[in-house]
């Protein structure tokens, strides 16, 4: 599929790509602070546009840099960010990302210890 050049169709393309990458539905995107599925549907149907508040909510829900959704409407591409973890009631999606990354770090440390044990007596020159 060719990526639309501008407008809501372009934004919808990138939103769907990101949702697929995150493995979330529109309802789950809403639960992460994004616009409601009905708001997105109305925008796609041309019944109404997306407010700057809705665009900001898309950015937050998908972990995009602020202003990404608006940039996409004008022909740009979104940029991803992994914000610093907020211990004061941060977004569950961001906390999930940090939990996954911490799990990966622990697995990598274990793999490194295993490799070191296997190669311990071998000269690595």
């Amino acid at each position: 599929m060719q990526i639309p050049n501008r407008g809501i169709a372009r934004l919808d393309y990138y939103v769907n790509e990101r949702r697929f990458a995150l493995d979330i539905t529109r309802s789950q995107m809403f639960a992460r602070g994004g616009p409601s599925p009905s708001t997105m549907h109305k925008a796609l149907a041309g019944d109404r546009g997306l407010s700057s508040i809705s665009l900001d909510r898309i950015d937050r829900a998908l972990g995009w840099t602020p202003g990404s959704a608006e940039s996409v409407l004008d022909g740009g591409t979104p940029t991803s960010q992994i914000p610093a973890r907020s211990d004061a009631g941060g977004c569950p999606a961001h906390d999930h990302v940090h939990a996954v990354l911490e799990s990966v770090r622990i697995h990598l440390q274990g793999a490194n210890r295993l490799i070191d044990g296997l190669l311990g007596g071998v000269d690595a020159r």
Side-chain angles (χ1 to χ4, degrees):
M1 172 185 184
Q2 186 173 356
I3 303 171
N5 291 331
R6 314 180 78 68
I8 191 68
R10 183 176 180 84
L11 180 60
D12 187 51
Y13 173 85
Y14 281 105
V15 166
N16 286 329
E17 287 291 307
R18 183 66 168 176
R19 285 190 316 102
F20 178 76
L22 296 172
D23 193 26
I24 61 170
T25 64
R26 286 197 188 275
S27 295
Q28 290 168 320
M29 185 175 128
F30 173 64
R32 292 176 173 211
S36 71
S38 66
T39 296
M40 292 297 291
H41 177 74
K42 288 175 185 174
L44 288 167
D47 293 342
R48 70 178 210 200
L50 290 170
S51 68
S52 60
I53 292 171
S54 290
L55 294 172
D56 290 343
R57 293 181 74 178
I58 290 170
D59 290 339
R60 278 193 311 273
L62 298 178
W64 286 348
T65 303
S68 285
E70 185 173 0
S71 172
V72 169
L73 287 172
D74 293 330
T77 55
T79 54
S80 179
Q81 72 173 8
I82 298 177
R85 185 175 185 163
S86 170
D87 292 327
C91 175
H94 298 161
D95 291 342
H96 174 72
V97 168
H98 286 279
V100 168
L101 290 174
E102 186 59 35
S103 176
V104 168
R105 180 194 335 236
I106 290 167
H107 288 306
L108 288 173
Q109 288 169 345
N112 281 331
R113 282 192 301 274
L114 177 62
I115 291 169
D116 287 343
L118 291 171
L119 296 176
V122 178
D123 189 358
R125 283 187 249 175

